[in-house]
Amino acid sequence: MVSGPSDGKKLPTPIKLLIAGGFGVGKTTMVGSVSEIKPLRTEETLTDRSIGVDDLSGVESKTTTTVAMDFGRISIGDDFVLYLFGTPGQERFWFVWDELARGALGAVVLADTRRLADCFPSVDYFERRGTPFIVAVNCFDDAPQYALDEVKLALNLGPDIPVLLCDARRRDSGKEVLIALVQHAYGRRPLAKV
C-alpha cells in the first residue's frame, strides 16, 4: 500500500502491466474483457491508406486499429490496482512503446498461430529491455492449434518464459493470463518492501 491522503487511508499499490503483440492479435479485446472500468480505447477505422502498409492476412475482417493504447484497470481488494496498457500492434506506432513500458512490472505477448511471426518484435523488445514477459496464445476459432512446446520452440523462447493458451474474449481466461504474468514477474524480481 502507498501512503494516502492526510486522513490516514492507504492508497492501493499500483501495478502496471502491458498487453502487447502483433496487429489484430486481440490486445484491445483482452483489455476490454478483464477491465473493471470501461476501457479507454484509441481505435481508428482502417482506410484504404493502410493498403500495402497493414497486412490483413489472417485478420481480413478487422476494421479498426489501435493508434496509441488501450487502458483498463483491475482492483484487487483495497491493496492493489492493476493498470493495463494495450500497445499498438503496427510498426508505425511502436514509438509509443517506450513510454508505455516505463515502470511496467511485466508484459503479456499475445500470439496468434495464424501469424506467429508477428509476435517476434514484441518478444525481442521485452528481451532487450529485460522486462519480464509471458506468451499467451490467443485461441482464435479458425486458427491452427499447436502444442505449447511447439510454440515455444517456434518463438525461440528460453525455458523460463511461460507459454499458455487463452481466449482474449473471456474474462476468466484473461485473468488467468494476468495472474501468470504477475507470478512470473515476481519470481524474477525481489519483492519490494511495501
Side-chain angles (χ1 to χ4, degrees):
M1 300 272 289
V2 177
S3 295
S6 59
D7 63 5
K9 290 184 180 178
K10 298 286 187 182
L11 296 175
T13 300
I15 300 172
K16 183 178 186 181
L17 303 175
L18 300 180
I19 313 297
F23 175 64
V25 76
K27 300 175 297 291
T28 298
T29 300
M30 180 178 235
V31 170
S33 74
V34 298
S35 180
E36 69 190 16
I37 62 171
K38 181 179 179 182
L40 168 68
R41 294 185 170 142
T42 60
E43 287 196 307
E44 292 294 333
T45 302
L46 288 169
T47 66
D48 59 354
R49 299 188 118 207
S50 70
I51 295 172
V53 177
D54 296 326
D55 178 8
L56 293 174
S57 55
V59 291
E60 291 83 1
S61 62
K62 186 165 177 59
T63 60
T64 61
T65 187
T66 300
V67 296
M69 68 175 183
D70 299 307
F71 174 78
R73 183 187 74 209
I74 302 172
S75 297
I76 303 174
D78 294 331
D79 296 328
F80 300 97
V81 62
L82 303 180
Y83 292 112
L84 310 174
F85 291 84
T87 65
Q90 294 117 304
E91 186 175 351
R92 67 180 179 273
F93 300 122
W94 287 352
F95 66 91
V96 177
W97 283 41
D98 287 337
E99 285 301 318
L100 293 177
R102 186 171 290 122
L105 175 70
V108 172
V109 175
L110 277 179
D112 177 350
T113 59
R114 298 170 299 182
R115 302 160 51 109
L116 197 56
D118 288 359
C119 67
F120 276 119
S122 301
V123 168
D124 292 344
Y125 180 83
F126 297 120
E127 284 180 339
R128 278 194 319 272
R129 287 183 66 93
T131 302
F133 70 95
I134 67 170
V135 174
V137 178
N138 194 4
C139 298
F140 289 94
D141 296 333
D142 60 343
Q145 295 182 5
Y146 298 96
L148 295 178
D149 287 343
E150 291 178 288
V151 173
K152 186 176 254 198
L153 182 64
L155 294 175
N156 196 28
L157 298 173
D160 62 324
I161 306 297
V163 179
L164 54 152
L165 299 175
C166 76
D167 182 338
R169 301 168 294 187
R170 291 186 26 236
R171 182 181 189 88
D172 59 330
S173 182
K175 283 185 173 183
E176 288 174 16
V177 168
L178 297 175
I179 289 167
L181 170 60
V182 171
Q183 289 173 336
H184 173 65
Y186 275 125
R188 291 191 40 191
R189 297 180 173 185
L191 291 175
K193 299 281 185 207
V194 181

Coordinates of all heavy atoms in Angstrom, one line a residue, residues 40-115:
L40 N -10.4 2.7 -21.9 CA -10.1 3.7 -22.9 C -9.5 3.1 -24.1 O -8.6 2.3 -24.0 CB -9.0 4.7 -22.2 CG -8.4 5.7 -23.2 CD1 -9.4 6.7 -23.6 CD2 -7.2 6.3 -22.6
R41 N -10.0 3.4 -25.2 CA -9.5 2.9 -26.5 C -9.2 4.0 -27.4 O -9.9 5.0 -27.5 CB -10.6 2.0 -27.1 CG -10.9 0.7 -26.3 CD -11.8 -0.2 -27.0 NE -11.9 -1.5 -26.3 CZ -13.0 -2.2 -26.1 NH1 -14.1 -1.8 -26.6 NH2 -12.9 -3.3 -25.4
T42 N -8.1 3.8 -28.2 CA -7.7 4.8 -29.2 C -7.8 4.1 -30.6 O -6.8 4.1 -31.3 CB -6.3 5.4 -28.9 OG1 -5.4 4.3 -28.9 CG2 -6.3 6.1 -27.6
E43 N -8.9 3.6 -30.9 CA -9.0 2.9 -32.2 C -9.5 3.8 -33.3 O -10.3 4.7 -33.0 CB -10.0 1.7 -32.0 CG -9.5 0.5 -31.3 CD -10.3 -0.7 -31.5 OE1 -11.5 -0.7 -31.3 OE2 -9.7 -1.7 -31.8
E44 N -9.0 3.6 -34.4 CA -9.4 4.3 -35.6 C -9.8 3.3 -36.7 O -9.3 2.2 -36.7 CB -8.3 5.2 -36.1 CG -8.0 6.4 -35.2 CD -9.1 7.4 -35.0 OE1 -9.9 7.5 -36.0 OE2 -9.2 8.0 -34.0
T45 N -10.6 3.7 -37.6 CA -11.0 2.9 -38.7 C -9.9 2.7 -39.7 O -9.2 3.7 -40.0 CB -12.3 3.5 -39.4 OG1 -13.3 3.7 -38.4 CG2 -12.8 2.6 -40.5
L46 N -9.7 1.5 -40.1 CA -8.8 1.2 -41.2 C -9.3 1.8 -42.5 O -10.5 1.6 -42.8 CB -8.5 -0.3 -41.4 CG -7.7 -1.0 -40.3 CD1 -7.8 -2.5 -40.4 CD2 -6.3 -0.5 -40.3
T47 N -8.5 2.4 -43.2 CA -8.9 3.0 -44.5 C -8.1 2.5 -45.6 O -7.1 1.7 -45.4 CB -8.8 4.6 -44.5 OG1 -7.4 4.9 -44.4 CG2 -9.5 5.2 -43.3
D48 N -8.4 2.9 -46.8 CA -7.6 2.5 -48.0 C -6.2 3.0 -48.0 O -5.3 2.4 -48.7 CB -8.3 2.9 -49.3 CG -8.5 4.4 -49.5 OD1 -8.2 5.1 -48.5 OD2 -8.9 4.8 -50.5
R49 N -5.9 3.9 -47.1 CA -4.5 4.4 -47.0 C -3.6 3.4 -46.3 O -2.4 3.4 -46.4 CB -4.4 5.7 -46.1 CG -5.2 6.8 -46.8 CD -5.0 8.1 -46.1 NE -4.4 8.9 -47.2 CZ -3.6 9.9 -46.9 NH1 -3.3 10.3 -45.7 NH2 -3.1 10.6 -47.9
S50 N -4.2 2.4 -45.6 CA -3.4 1.3 -45.0 C -3.1 0.2 -45.9 O -2.3 -0.7 -45.6 CB -4.1 0.8 -43.7 OG -5.2 0.1 -44.0
I51 N -3.6 0.2 -47.1 CA -3.4 -0.9 -48.1 C -1.9 -0.8 -48.4 O -1.3 0.2 -48.7 CB -4.2 -0.7 -49.4 CG1 -5.7 -0.8 -49.1 CG2 -3.8 -1.7 -50.5 CD1 -6.6 -0.5 -50.2
G52 N -1.3 -2.0 -48.4 CA 0.2 -2.1 -48.6 C 1.0 -1.8 -47.4 O 2.2 -2.0 -47.4
V53 N 0.4 -1.2 -46.3 CA 1.1 -0.9 -45.1 C 0.7 -2.0 -44.0 O 1.6 -2.5 -43.3 CB 0.7 0.5 -44.6 CG1 1.4 0.8 -43.2 CG2 1.1 1.5 -45.6
D54 N -0.6 -2.2 -43.9 CA -1.1 -3.2 -42.9 C -1.4 -4.5 -43.6 O -2.1 -4.5 -44.5 CB -2.4 -2.7 -42.2 CG -2.1 -1.4 -41.4 OD1 -1.0 -1.3 -40.8 OD2 -3.0 -0.5 -41.4
D55 N -0.8 -5.5 -43.1 CA -1.0 -6.9 -43.6 C -2.2 -7.5 -42.9 O -2.2 -7.8 -41.7 CB 0.2 -7.8 -43.4 CG 0.0 -9.2 -43.9 OD1 -1.0 -9.5 -44.5 OD2 0.9 -10.0 -43.6
L56 N -3.3 -7.6 -43.6 CA -4.6 -8.1 -43.1 C -4.7 -9.7 -43.3 O -5.8 -10.2 -42.9 CB -5.8 -7.4 -43.7 CG -5.9 -5.9 -43.3 CD1 -7.1 -5.3 -44.1 CD2 -6.1 -5.8 -41.8
S57 N -3.7 -10.3 -43.8 CA -3.9 -11.8 -44.0 C -4.0 -12.4 -42.6 O -3.3 -12.2 -41.7 CB -2.6 -12.3 -44.7 OG -1.4 -12.0 -44.1
G58 N -5.1 -13.3 -42.6 CA -5.5 -13.9 -41.3 C -6.4 -13.1 -40.5 O -7.1 -13.7 -39.6
V59 N -6.5 -11.8 -40.7 CA -7.5 -11.0 -40.0 C -8.2 -10.1 -40.9 O -8.4 -8.9 -40.7 CB -6.7 -10.1 -38.9 CG1 -6.2 -11.0 -37.7 CG2 -5.6 -9.3 -39.5
E60 N -8.7 -10.7 -42.0 CA -9.3 -9.9 -43.1 C -10.5 -9.1 -42.6 O -10.9 -8.1 -43.2 CB -9.7 -10.8 -44.2 CG -8.5 -11.4 -45.0 CD -7.9 -12.6 -44.4 OE1 -8.4 -13.1 -43.3 OE2 -6.9 -13.2 -44.9
S61 N -11.2 -9.6 -41.6 CA -12.4 -8.9 -41.2 C -12.1 -7.7 -40.2 O -13.1 -7.0 -39.8 CB -13.4 -9.9 -40.5 OG -12.8 -10.4 -39.3
K62 N -10.9 -7.5 -39.9 CA -10.5 -6.4 -39.0 C -10.8 -5.0 -39.6 O -10.4 -4.8 -40.8 CB -9.0 -6.5 -38.6 CG -8.6 -5.5 -37.5 CD -7.3 -5.8 -36.9 CE -6.8 -4.8 -35.9 NZ -7.7 -4.6 -34.8
T63 N -11.5 -4.2 -38.9 CA -11.9 -2.9 -39.5 C -11.3 -1.7 -38.7 O -11.4 -0.5 -39.2 CB -13.4 -2.7 -39.5 OG1 -13.9 -2.8 -38.2 CG2 -14.0 -3.8 -40.4
T64 N -10.7 -1.9 -37.6 CA -10.2 -0.8 -36.8 C -8.8 -1.2 -36.3 O -8.4 -2.4 -36.3 CB -11.0 -0.5 -35.5 OG1 -11.1 -1.7 -34.7 CG2 -12.4 0.0 -35.9
T65 N -8.0 -0.2 -35.8 CA -6.7 -0.4 -35.3 C -6.4 0.5 -34.2 O -6.9 1.7 -34.2 CB -5.6 -0.3 -36.4 OG1 -4.4 -0.7 -35.8 CG2 -5.5 1.1 -36.9
T66 N -5.6 0.1 -33.2 CA -5.2 0.9 -32.1 C -4.1 1.8 -32.5 O -3.1 1.3 -33.0 CB -4.8 0.1 -30.9 OG1 -5.9 -0.8 -30.5 CG2 -4.4 0.9 -29.7
V67 N -4.2 3.1 -32.3 CA -3.2 4.0 -32.7 C -2.4 4.6 -31.6 O -1.3 5.2 -31.9 CB -3.8 5.2 -33.6 CG1 -4.5 4.7 -34.8 CG2 -4.8 6.0 -32.7
A68 N -2.7 4.4 -30.4 CA -1.9 4.8 -29.2 C -1.9 3.8 -28.2 O -0.8 3.2 -27.9 CB -2.4 6.2 -28.7
M69 N -3.0 3.5 -27.6 CA -3.0 2.5 -26.5 C -4.5 2.1 -26.1 O -5.4 2.9 -26.5 CB -2.3 3.0 -25.3 CG -3.0 4.1 -24.6 SD -2.3 4.6 -23.0 CE -3.4 5.8 -22.5
D70 N -4.6 1.0 -25.4 CA -5.8 0.7 -24.7 C -5.5 0.8 -23.2 O -4.4 0.6 -22.8 CB -6.3 -0.7 -25.0 CG -6.6 -0.9 -26.5 OD1 -7.3 -0.1 -27.1 OD2 -6.0 -1.9 -27.1
F71 N -6.5 1.2 -22.4 CA -6.2 1.3 -21.0 C -7.4 0.7 -20.2 O -8.5 0.9 -20.5 CB -6.0 2.7 -20.6 CG -5.9 2.9 -19.1 CD1 -4.7 2.7 -18.4 CD2 -7.0 3.3 -18.3 CE1 -4.6 2.8 -17.0 CE2 -6.9 3.5 -16.9 CZ -5.7 3.2 -16.3
G72 N -7.1 -0.1 -19.2 CA -8.1 -0.7 -18.3 C -7.5 -0.8 -16.9 O -6.3 -0.6 -16.7
R73 N -8.4 -1.2 -16.0 CA -8.0 -1.3 -14.6 C -8.7 -2.5 -13.9 O -9.8 -2.8 -14.2 CB -8.4 0.0 -13.9 CG -8.0 0.1 -12.4 CD -8.5 1.3 -11.7 NE -9.9 1.0 -11.5 CZ -10.8 2.0 -11.4 NH1 -10.5 3.3 -11.6 NH2 -12.1 1.7 -11.2
I74 N -7.9 -3.1 -13.0 CA -8.5 -4.2 -12.2 C -8.0 -3.9 -10.7 O -6.8 -3.8 -10.5 CB -8.0 -5.6 -12.6 CG1 -8.3 -5.9 -14.0 CG2 -8.5 -6.6 -11.6 CD1 -7.7 -7.2 -14.5
S75 N -9.0 -3.7 -9.8 CA -8.7 -3.6 -8.4 C -8.6 -5.0 -7.7 O -9.5 -5.8 -8.0 CB -9.7 -2.7 -7.7 OG -9.8 -1.4 -8.2
I76 N -7.6 -5.1 -6.9 CA -7.5 -6.4 -6.1 C -7.7 -6.0 -4.7 O -6.7 -5.6 -4.0 CB -6.2 -7.1 -6.4 CG1 -6.0 -7.4 -7.9 CG2 -6.1 -8.4 -5.6 CD1 -4.7 -7.9 -8.3
G77 N -8.9 -6.1 -4.2 CA -9.2 -5.7 -2.8 C -8.9 -4.2 -2.7 O -9.0 -3.4 -3.6
D78 N -8.4 -3.9 -1.5 CA -8.1 -2.5 -1.2 C -6.6 -2.3 -1.3 O -6.0 -1.2 -1.2 CB -8.5 -2.1 0.2 CG -10.0 -2.0 0.4 OD1 -10.7 -1.7 -0.6 OD2 -10.5 -2.3 1.5
D79 N -5.8 -3.4 -1.6 CA -4.4 -3.3 -1.6 C -3.7 -3.0 -2.9 O -2.6 -2.4 -2.9 CB -3.8 -4.7 -1.0 CG -4.3 -4.9 0.4 OD1 -4.4 -3.9 1.2 OD2 -4.4 -6.1 0.8
F80 N -4.2 -3.5 -4.0 CA -3.5 -3.4 -5.3 C -4.5 -2.9 -6.4 O -5.7 -3.2 -6.3 CB -2.9 -4.7 -5.7 CG -1.9 -5.2 -4.8 CD1 -2.2 -6.2 -3.8 CD2 -0.6 -4.8 -4.8 CE1 -1.3 -6.7 -2.9 CE2 0.4 -5.3 -3.9 CZ 0.0 -6.2 -2.9
V81 N -3.9 -2.2 -7.4 CA -4.7 -1.9 -8.6 C -3.8 -2.2 -9.7 O -2.6 -1.7 -9.8 CB -5.3 -0.5 -8.5 CG1 -4.2 0.6 -8.5 CG2 -6.2 -0.2 -9.7
L82 N -4.3 -3.0 -10.7 CA -3.6 -3.3 -11.9 C -4.0 -2.3 -12.9 O -5.2 -2.1 -13.2 CB -3.9 -4.7 -12.4 CG -3.6 -5.9 -11.4 CD1 -4.0 -7.2 -12.1 CD2 -2.2 -5.9 -11.0
Y83 N -3.0 -1.6 -13.5 CA -3.3 -0.8 -14.7 C -2.8 -1.5 -15.9 O -1.6 -1.9 -16.0 CB -2.5 0.6 -14.5 CG -3.1 1.4 -13.4 CD1 -2.3 1.6 -12.2 CD2 -4.4 1.9 -13.4 CE1 -2.8 2.4 -11.2 CE2 -4.9 2.7 -12.4 CZ -4.1 2.9 -11.3 OH -4.6 3.6 -10.2
L84 N -3.7 -1.7 -16.8 CA -3.4 -2.5 -18.1 C -3.3 -1.5 -19.2 O -4.2 -0.7 -19.5 CB -4.6 -3.4 -18.3 CG -5.0 -4.3 -17.2 CD1 -6.2 -5.1 -17.6 CD2 -3.9 -5.2 -16.8
F85 N -2.2 -1.7 -20.0 CA -1.9 -0.9 -21.1 C -1.7 -1.8 -22.3 O -0.8 -2.6 -22.4 CB -0.7 0.0 -20.9 CG -0.8 1.1 -19.9 CD1 -0.6 0.8 -18.6 CD2 -1.1 2.4 -20.3 CE1 -0.8 1.8 -17.6 CE2 -1.3 3.4 -19.4 CZ -1.1 3.1 -18.0
G86 N -2.6 -1.7 -23.3 CA -2.5 -2.4 -24.5 C -1.7 -1.6 -25.5 O -2.0 -0.4 -25.8
T87 N -0.7 -2.2 -26.1 CA 0.2 -1.5 -27.0 C -0.4 -1.5 -28.4 O -1.1 -2.4 -28.8 CB 1.6 -2.1 -27.1 OG1 1.5 -3.4 -27.6 CG2 2.2 -2.1 -25.7
P88 N -0.1 -0.5 -29.3 CA -0.4 -0.6 -30.7 C 0.4 -1.7 -31.4 O 1.5 -2.0 -31.0 CB -0.1 0.8 -31.2 CG 0.9 1.3 -30.3 CD 0.7 0.7 -29.0
G89 N -0.2 -2.4 -32.3 CA 0.4 -3.5 -33.0 C 1.3 -3.2 -34.2 O 2.2 -4.0 -34.5
Q90 N 1.0 -2.1 -34.9 CA 1.7 -1.9 -36.1 C 3.0 -1.1 -35.9 O 3.1 -0.3 -35.0 CB 0.9 -1.0 -37.1 CG -0.3 -1.8 -37.6 CD -1.6 -1.1 -37.1 OE1 -1.8 -0.8 -35.9 NE2 -2.4 -0.7 -38.1
E91 N 4.0 -1.4 -36.7 CA 5.3 -0.9 -36.6 C 5.3 0.6 -36.5 O 6.1 1.3 -35.8 CB 6.2 -1.4 -37.7 CG 7.6 -1.0 -37.6 CD 8.5 -1.6 -38.6 OE1 8.1 -2.5 -39.4 OE2 9.7 -1.2 -38.7
R92 N 4.5 1.3 -37.3 CA 4.5 2.7 -37.4 C 4.1 3.4 -36.1 O 4.3 4.6 -35.9 CB 3.6 3.2 -38.5 CG 2.1 3.0 -38.4 CD 1.4 3.5 -39.6 NE 0.0 3.3 -39.6 CZ -0.6 2.2 -40.0 NH1 0.1 1.2 -40.5 NH2 -1.9 2.1 -40.0
F93 N 3.5 2.6 -35.1 CA 3.1 3.1 -33.8 C 4.0 2.7 -32.7 O 3.7 3.0 -31.5 CB 1.6 2.8 -33.5 CG 0.7 3.3 -34.5 CD1 -0.2 2.4 -35.2 CD2 0.6 4.6 -34.8 CE1 -1.1 2.9 -36.1 CE2 -0.4 5.1 -35.7 CZ -1.2 4.2 -36.4
W94 N 5.1 2.0 -33.0 CA 6.0 1.5 -32.0 C 6.7 2.5 -31.2 O 7.1 2.2 -30.0 CB 7.0 0.5 -32.6 CG 6.4 -0.8 -33.0 CD1 5.2 -1.3 -32.8 CD2 7.1 -1.8 -33.7 NE1 5.0 -2.5 -33.3 CE2 6.2 -2.9 -34.0 CE3 8.4 -1.9 -34.3 CZ2 6.6 -4.0 -34.6 CZ3 8.7 -3.1 -34.9 CH2 7.8 -4.1 -35.1
F95 N 6.7 3.8 -31.7 CA 7.4 4.8 -30.9 C 6.7 5.0 -29.5 O 7.3 5.5 -28.6 CB 7.5 6.1 -31.7 CG 6.1 6.7 -31.9 CD1 5.6 7.7 -31.1 CD2 5.4 6.4 -33.1 CE1 4.3 8.2 -31.3 CE2 4.1 6.9 -33.3 CZ 3.6 7.8 -32.4
V96 N 5.5 4.6 -29.4 CA 4.7 4.8 -28.2 C 5.1 3.8 -27.1 O 5.0 4.0 -25.9 CB 3.2 4.6 -28.5 CG1 2.3 4.7 -27.2 CG2 2.7 5.6 -29.5
W97 N 5.7 2.7 -27.5 CA 6.0 1.6 -26.6 C 7.0 2.0 -25.5 O 6.8 1.5 -24.4 CB 6.7 0.4 -27.4 CG 5.7 -0.4 -28.1 CD1 4.6 0.0 -28.9 CD2 5.7 -1.8 -28.2 NE1 3.9 -1.0 -29.4 CE2 4.6 -2.2 -29.1 CE3 6.5 -2.8 -27.7 CZ2 4.3 -3.5 -29.4 CZ3 6.2 -4.2 -28.0 CH2 5.1 -4.5 -28.8
D98 N 8.0 2.8 -25.7 CA 8.9 3.1 -24.7 C 8.2 3.8 -23.5 O 8.5 3.6 -22.4 CB 10.1 4.0 -25.2 CG 11.1 3.2 -26.0 OD1 11.2 2.0 -25.9 OD2 11.8 3.8 -26.9
E99 N 7.3 4.7 -23.9 CA 6.5 5.4 -22.8 C 5.6 4.5 -22.1 O 5.5 4.5 -20.9 CB 5.7 6.6 -23.4 CG 6.5 7.8 -23.8 CD 7.3 8.4 -22.6 OE1 6.7 8.5 -21.5 OE2 8.4 8.8 -22.8
L100 N 5.0 3.6 -22.8 CA 4.1 2.6 -22.2 C 4.8 1.7 -21.3 O 4.3 1.3 -20.2 CB 3.2 1.9 -23.2 CG 2.2 2.7 -24.0 CD1 1.6 1.8 -25.1 CD2 1.2 3.3 -23.1
A101 N 6.0 1.3 -21.7 CA 6.8 0.3 -21.0 C 7.4 0.8 -19.7 O 7.8 0.0 -18.8 CB 7.8 -0.4 -21.9
R102 N 7.6 2.1 -19.6 CA 8.3 2.7 -18.5 C 7.5 2.4 -17.2 O 6.4 2.7 -17.1 CB 8.4 4.2 -18.6 CG 9.2 4.9 -17.5 CD 9.6 6.3 -17.8 NE 10.5 6.4 -18.9 CZ 10.3 7.0 -20.0 NH1 9.2 7.7 -20.2 NH2 11.3 7.1 -21.0
G103 N 8.2 1.7 -16.3 CA 7.6 1.4 -15.0 C 6.7 0.1 -14.9 O 6.1 -0.2 -13.9
A104 N 6.7 -0.6 -16.0 CA 5.8 -1.8 -16.1 C 6.5 -2.9 -15.3 O 7.7 -3.2 -15.4 CB 5.5 -2.2 -17.5
L105 N 5.7 -3.7 -14.6 CA 6.2 -4.9 -13.9 C 6.5 -6.0 -14.9 O 7.4 -6.7 -14.8 CB 5.1 -5.4 -12.9 CG 5.4 -6.7 -12.2 CD1 6.5 -6.5 -11.2 CD2 4.2 -7.3 -11.5
G106 N 5.7 -6.1 -16.0 CA 5.9 -7.1 -17.0 C 4.9 -6.9 -18.1 O 4.1 -6.0 -18.2
A107 N 4.9 -7.9 -19.1 CA 4.1 -7.8 -20.3 C 3.6 -9.2 -20.7 O 4.3 -10.2 -20.5 CB 4.9 -7.2 -21.4
V108 N 2.4 -9.2 -21.2 CA 1.9 -10.4 -21.9 C 2.1 -10.1 -23.4 O 1.7 -9.1 -23.9 CB 0.3 -10.5 -21.7 CG1 -0.3 -11.6 -22.5 CG2 0.0 -10.7 -20.2
V109 N 2.7 -11.1 -24.1 CA 2.8 -11.0 -25.5 C 1.8 -12.0 -26.0 O 1.8 -13.2 -25.9 CB 4.2 -11.5 -26.0 CG1 4.2 -11.5 -27.5 CG2 5.3 -10.5 -25.5
L110 N 0.7 -11.4 -26.6 CA -0.3 -12.2 -27.2 C 0.2 -12.7 -28.6 O 0.8 -12.0 -29.3 CB -1.6 -11.4 -27.4 CG -2.6 -11.3 -26.3 CD1 -3.8 -10.4 -26.6 CD2 -3.0 -12.6 -25.7
A111 N -0.1 -14.0 -28.9 CA 0.3 -14.6 -30.1 C -0.9 -15.2 -30.8 O -1.9 -15.7 -30.2 CB 1.3 -15.7 -29.8
D112 N -0.9 -15.2 -32.1 CA -1.9 -15.8 -33.0 C -1.2 -16.8 -33.9 O -0.3 -16.4 -34.6 CB -2.5 -14.7 -33.8 CG -3.6 -15.1 -34.8 OD1 -3.7 -16.3 -35.0 OD2 -4.3 -14.3 -35.4
T113 N -1.6 -18.1 -33.8 CA -0.8 -19.1 -34.6 C -1.0 -18.9 -36.1 O -0.2 -19.5 -36.8 CB -1.3 -20.5 -34.2 OG1 -2.7 -20.7 -34.4 CG2 -0.9 -20.8 -32.7
R114 N -2.0 -18.1 -36.5 CA -2.1 -17.8 -37.9 C -1.0 -16.9 -38.4 O -0.7 -16.8 -39.6 CB -3.5 -17.2 -38.3 CG -4.6 -18.1 -37.9 CD -5.9 -17.4 -38.0 NE -6.0 -16.3 -37.1 CZ -7.0 -15.5 -36.9 NH1 -8.1 -15.6 -37.6 NH2 -6.9 -14.5 -36.1
R115 N -0.5 -16.1 -37.5 CA 0.5 -15.1 -37.8 C 1.6 -15.1 -36.6 O 1.9 -14.0 -36.1 CB -0.2 -13.7 -37.9 CG -1.3 -13.7 -38.9 CD -2.2 -12.5 -38.7 NE -1.6 -11.3 -38.5 CZ -1.7 -10.3 -39.4 NH1 -2.3 -10.4 -40.5 NH2 -1.1 -9.1 -39.1

